[in-house]
Amino acid sequence: MDAVSLAIIEQLQEDGRRPYAAIGKAVGLSEAAVRQRVQKLLDQGVMQIVAVTDPLTVGFRRQAMVGVNVEGVLDPVADALTAMPEVEYVVMTAGSFDILAEVVCEDDDHLLDVINKRIRALPGVRSTESFVYLKLKKQTYMWGTR
């Protein structure tokens, strides 16, 4: 990936609705060239352009990070977690947990159902530990391209 594509990504991380003409001016390309590069980056799965919401304002009052310990191979459990609509983030880790999964739910009953009846019921799950979010202080996707 060249420096111009990285600069386009940084422009879109600052403002995902920034006009292609403005991006072009910032990175030294025409609007059409920026449009083509953005489409290529999207098609290749390098980036996504999405609306990020505050879960509380759209009716999801309970979030938690769930640490999962697995017996055996991690991939089947990680794949099953990834398929759950309430699970927004899945990462395989080294340390106290094999997998971390961020869960976004409507309320405590919904969270209990997801953890107790669905996550803990997965074959290979040995144990879970839940970290319920009390207040979201920072959520950003502005790490740039370094």
Side-chain angles (χ1 to χ4, degrees):
M1 183 164 323
D2 66 7
V4 174
S5 291
L6 294 173
I8 290 170
I9 291 169
E10 287 179 350
Q11 290 284 310
L12 290 167
Q13 282 183 321
E14 288 176 14
D15 180 359
R17 295 175 22 161
R18 182 165 289 155
Y20 291 149
I23 295 171
K25 191 174 285 188
V27 302
L29 292 178
S30 69
E31 179 179 350
V34 170
R35 185 180 314 281
Q36 288 176 339
R37 283 195 182 230
V38 168
Q39 191 58 54
K40 184 177 178 183
L41 292 166
L42 293 169
D43 291 345
Q44 292 175 337
V46 172
M47 67 175 191
Q48 299 175 15
I49 300 173
V50 299
V52 178
T53 62
D54 176 354
L56 287 173
T57 63
V58 293
F60 296 102
R61 296 186 331 238
R62 183 56 67 216
Q63 291 179 269
M65 185 65 69
V66 180
V68 181
N69 284 310
V70 176
E71 292 180 21
V73 180
L74 301 182
D75 290 306
V77 175
D79 292 343
L81 291 167
T82 300
M84 293 180 187
E86 296 89 352
V87 176
E88 297 297 321
Y89 175 83
V90 175
V91 61
M92 291 186 236
T93 65
S96 298
F97 299 103
D98 297 314
I99 298 172
L100 291 174
E102 184 176 38
V103 180
V104 179
C105 295
E106 295 168 12
D107 54 31
D108 288 336
D109 288 336
H110 186 195
L111 178 62
L112 179 61
D113 183 69
V114 170
I115 293 170
N116 198 39
K117 294 181 181 172
R118 297 183 36 223
I119 294 176
R120 288 182 178 160
L122 291 173
V125 171
R126 184 176 60 228
S127 64
T128 64
E129 185 172 347
S130 302
F131 303 89
V132 175
Y133 297 4
L134 298 176
K135 185 173 187 174
L136 181 62
K137 291 293 284 185
K138 181 178 182 179
Q139 180 177 8
T140 181
Y141 301 96
M142 298 291 296
W143 55 80
T145 57
R146 294 183 206 159

